[in-house]
Amino acid sequence: MAAPLQRRSLLGEGILLVVICAFCVFPFYWMVTTSLKTQVVALQSPPAWIFSPTLANYWEVLFEDKVGVSLLNSIIVATATTSLAVLLGCPAAYALARFEFRGKTDLWFWFITNRFVSPVVLAFPVFLISRDLGIRDTHLALILMYLTFTLPIVIWICTDQFRSIPHELDEAAMLEGASQWRIFRSICLPLAMPGVAVSSILSFIFSWNELLFAYILAPKVAKTAPAMAVTFMEGYDVPYGKIMATSTLIVIPVLIFALLASKHLVRGLTMGAVK
Amino acid sequence: MTTRVSRATLGAFLGPAVAALVIVGIAPLLFALWKSFHYFNLTKLAQQRFVGLENYAAVLTDTVFWQAMGRTALLFVMSVPVQIIFGLSIALVLHRPGLTLFKTLARLSLVLPMATTYAVVGLLAQVMLNQKYGVINQMLGWLGVDPINFIGDPTNAFLAVVIWDIWQWTPFVALVLLAGLSTVPPEIEEAAKLETKSNWVVLRHVQLPYLIPSLVAVLILRTADTLKLFDMPFTMTRGGPGSATEFIAVLIERVGNRQFDIGMAAAQSIIMLALTIVLARLYIRFFYREVR
């Protein structure tokens, strides 16, 4: 009696899981298939599920519409800001994990608080400042602004990682006469590599996805891919296939990264409140 | 165990990170604060002048501002409870033993919506919700529902943003609550399951106390993210039709970037920032009580 009942509940559970997967994945399926449609097929009513796919949209957006350039801009900005965040964040995280000093908790809170500040609060002052400094519409302006959310991520995750490294290692090295910097560089940093890797992936994802700073600070030359996708919406004849091809090009790399770091994504998003 | 070090060492380790965040975070804020006391419109630069609290008075008595705030609050009230109910249900299913392969697949697909570029989420909505060509209306048609003008009608556009927000963030809530469920000691959970057959009793009396921190985290983070919400409504509706989906961040962008009224946008931003700081304080008090 018990066995069939259990089997039935397992079947129900299986169906439920398939429905959950379908809900999450279907928009991506529709995005990719729409990107393979010509404008005529994309504007077919009712929508076509079966059609002969074409790569024309990809060809057009990559080589005629500067989406290729904007993807390159995105890669440059996301890579540079991630490197800079790791470079600045790791020593700071080490200090927060290992050293004792006044105001440490406050400093740590301040780093974390940046998680909450909306880009729209910073965007206009930075728009004016960067114009005066002559760095508007450059990669540099975006790279610097992206530190406001990448640096807190790196500091949070790496502080946690450094704390988990046994203190005895430091003490042994200290007895040998190693400087703090040397202990950090040669002993702790190599052991903290998993944390550095995870925080790098998360920083990259967040920088890659950013729209508001990019839209306001980099209107032409340094335009990133999400901002480029937005410009397709302007005008009357909305090119659905091209928008979805651009979206696919933007989303695929970041989804691969997200799946690689899926275990840590929630921690990154919640700033470690839930482990 | 922590080490005392000299000021110089401390400065060398922490200085660069602190300096960077002061330059890119604090300096623009102070600049915004200063500009918020000015009449400052990019198209009328000659008229720039100090006006004291005039911008704040204007913002606080501006119905457009309060309507945008109201819409932001309404979005939160409409979508977050649904996200919590759906998210909790999904987390409970994933938490049960068995069907490991399916559950791993489900967990991985939950990662997709919340990692997707937010701008693309809005663009996807445009394509899928279109009245004529949209696949959602086609599917509703299979169920016998007449095509709905999602984006063009004010009420429907707002509902579309709510639904899309639920789609994107339910997975996040599910994964956070799943992490919360894993903090319940297994022996307590098993003992409770021997005592009662009711899943509800187990949830209410055994699992829920352990879920409280996760639920508070979800509430505070979703509030902060709803206040910040810009990309999705911007790419989906540009705040329209009319101002039906003009949330607070979308409004500030319009005032600053399309009306060029920087002084006003700055005052709005500072008010929003004050709200954000209160939230951040709450969050920190809840989760980081002990001095680390």
Side-chain angles (χ1 to χ4, degrees):
Chain A
M1 193 63 207
L5 202 81
Q6 205 185 11
R7 197 172 303 148
R8 227 172 69 197
S9 89
L10 270 186
L11 183 69
E13 218 173 273
I15 292 170
L16 200 62
L17 290 170
V18 171
V19 170
I20 293 170
C21 289
F23 258 101
C24 294
V25 176
F26 180 73
F28 299 99
Y29 168 79
W30 202 256
M31 172 180 77
V32 175
T33 49
T34 307
S35 75
L36 299 172
K37 289 174 178 175
T38 62
Q39 178 76 347
V40 177
V41 180
L43 293 186
Q44 207 164 296
S45 176
W49 289 68
I50 297 160
F51 58 95
S52 45
T54 162
L55 285 173
N57 289 319
Y58 288 91
W59 184 266
E60 272 182 48
V61 297
L62 275 176
F63 301 110
E64 289 167 27
D65 295 324
K66 293 191 183 159
V67 169
V69 179
S70 72
L71 282 167
L72 203 63
N73 284 336
S74 280
I75 293 172
I76 292 169
V77 170
T79 312
T81 195
T82 300
S83 316
L84 197 57
V86 167
L87 205 68
L88 297 171
C90 279
Y94 181 77
L96 287 168
R98 283 293 201 256
F99 302 161
E100 195 182 309
F101 56 92
R102 256 196 19 216
K104 182 162 121 172
T105 328
D106 292 332
L107 186 65
W108 195 76
F109 285 167
W110 176 61
F111 281 130
I112 295 290
T113 309
N114 284 282
R115 159 78 172 75
F116 292 89
V117 177
S118 170
V120 84
V121 175
L122 301 173
F124 295 117
V126 173
F127 164 81
L128 296 171
I129 296 169
S130 64
R131 205 178 51 164
D132 290 346
L133 293 176
I135 57 165
R136 194 164 114 78
D137 210 3
T138 62
H139 296 137
L140 182 66
L142 290 183
I143 292 164
L144 289 177
M145 286 326 289
Y146 286 8
L147 282 180
T148 55
F149 51 86
T150 53
L151 202 48
I153 297 171
V154 171
I155 289 178
W156 189 82
I157 292 177
C158 290
T159 305
D160 210 47
Q161 181 80 55
F162 281 124
R163 274 207 205 96
S164 71
I165 297 169
H167 218 273
E168 288 75 21
L169 289 173
D170 298 31
E171 277 154 19
M174 227 179 284
L175 289 177
E176 302 277 333
S179 68
Q180 281 296 343
W181 187 255
R182 171 111 201 160
I183 296 170
F184 164 68
R185 269 282 295 112
S186 315
I187 298 170
C188 290
L189 193 58
L191 290 170
M193 269 309 154
V196 175
V198 167
S199 60
S200 304
I201 292 180
L202 294 176
S203 298
F204 190 91
I205 292 176
F206 287 119
S207 318
W208 185 268
N209 286 349
E210 209 284 332
L211 174 69
L212 187 66
F213 282 134
Y215 184 71
I216 291 174
L217 299 180
K220 286 195 184 82
V221 184
K223 198 173 212 170
T224 62
M228 184 58 95
V230 172
T231 53
F232 282 124
M233 301 307 298
E234 285 151 10
Y236 277 105
D237 195 17
V238 180
Y240 285 112
K242 277 158 84 165
I243 291 172
M244 288 297 100
T246 308
S247 298
T248 307
L249 290 169
I250 295 171
V251 163
I252 297 289
V254 80
L255 288 189
I256 292 171
F257 270 136
L259 289 175
L260 285 177
S262 63
K263 267 190 186 160
H264 307 277
L265 194 70
V266 169
R267 282 186 82 187
L269 285 166
T270 56
M271 273 298 183
V274 182
K275 300 199 178 183
Chain B
M1 255 304 284
T2 43
T3 325
R4 282 197 172 278
V5 291
S6 72
R7 262 170 195 279
T9 316
L10 207 56
F13 275 91
L14 280 166
V18 173
L21 273 183
V22 167
I23 292 169
V24 300
I26 300 294
L29 281 183
L30 293 176
F31 193 76
L33 190 64
W34 175 240
K35 285 292 169 210
S36 72
F37 298 126
H38 287 77
Y39 177 83
F40 186 75
N41 191 312
L42 284 180
T43 55
K44 299 171 197 151
L45 282 175
Q47 295 173 31
Q48 186 183 349
R49 63 179 193 279
F50 186 83
V51 295
L53 292 172
E54 234 171 67
N55 283 330
Y56 287 91
V59 171
L60 291 174
T61 54
D62 184 6
T63 47
V64 173
F65 178 78
W66 289 111
Q67 280 166 359
M69 275 289 184
R71 270 191 288 276
T72 311
L74 187 63
L75 170 71
F76 179 83
V77 170
M78 285 176 75
S79 68
V80 173
V82 179
Q83 288 166 7
I84 289 178
I85 292 167
F86 284 3
L88 182 60
S89 316
I90 295 172
L92 285 170
V93 171
L94 290 180
H95 184 64
R96 289 172 66 174
L99 295 171
T100 321
L101 177 68
F102 275 87
K103 277 169 190 159
T104 312
L105 278 178
R107 200 173 312 183
L108 285 177
S109 48
L110 286 175
V111 169
L112 301 182
M114 61 182 182
T116 307
T117 313
Y118 312 135
V120 168
V121 175
L123 295 173
L124 263 170
Q126 279 255 5
V127 172
M128 293 177 71
L129 292 174
N130 188 290
Q131 188 174 9
K132 255 176 91 186
Y133 331 112
V135 66
I136 305 277
N137 268 321
Q138 184 186 28
M139 288 173 159
L140 288 174
W142 296 339
L143 300 173
V145 181
D146 286 333
I148 298 169
N149 185 2
F150 282 108
I151 311 282
D153 174 85
T155 314
N156 291 344
F158 185 85
L159 284 175
V161 171
V162 172
I163 293 168
W164 230 242
D165 192 66
I166 291 171
W167 174 76
Q168 193 180 12
W169 292 105
T170 296
F172 166 71
V173 178
L175 290 173
V176 170
L177 293 181
L178 187 61
L181 281 175
S182 70
T183 61
V184 184
E187 56 278 10
I188 297 184
E189 206 179 306
E190 271 155 38
K193 278 181 182 158
L194 288 178
E195 286 290 317
T196 174
K197 282 212 156 47
S198 158
N199 287 331
W200 172 249
V201 173
V202 176
L203 174 66
R204 172 71 189 78
H205 295 284
V206 181
Q207 291 166 323
L208 203 60
Y210 288 91
L211 284 178
I212 296 293
S214 312
L215 284 169
V216 178
V218 163
L219 280 178
I220 297 179
L221 289 169
R222 289 306 303 136
T223 318
D225 288 342
T226 308
L227 271 178
K228 285 204 255 183
L229 184 72
F230 172 80
D231 304 17
M232 185 262 274
F234 185 74
T235 54
M236 185 169 164
T237 59
R238 285 281 161 110
S243 56
T245 56
E246 192 166 77
F247 301 97
I248 189 68
V250 182
L251 169 71
I252 298 177
E253 189 275 338
R254 177 169 67 81
V255 172
N257 204 34
R258 286 181 269 171
Q259 290 178 356
F260 309 108
D261 196 342
I262 304 280
M264 195 72 144
Q268 292 171 334
S269 303
I270 297 294
I271 294 170
M272 184 174 157
L273 181 72
L275 261 173
T276 313
I277 288 172
V278 172
L279 266 176
R281 287 267 125 201
L282 270 175
Y283 176 78
I284 285 162
R285 184 173 300 174
F286 266 109
F287 295 106
Y288 304 107
R289 251 165 300 183
E290 76 274 38
V291 176
R292 297 223 180 196

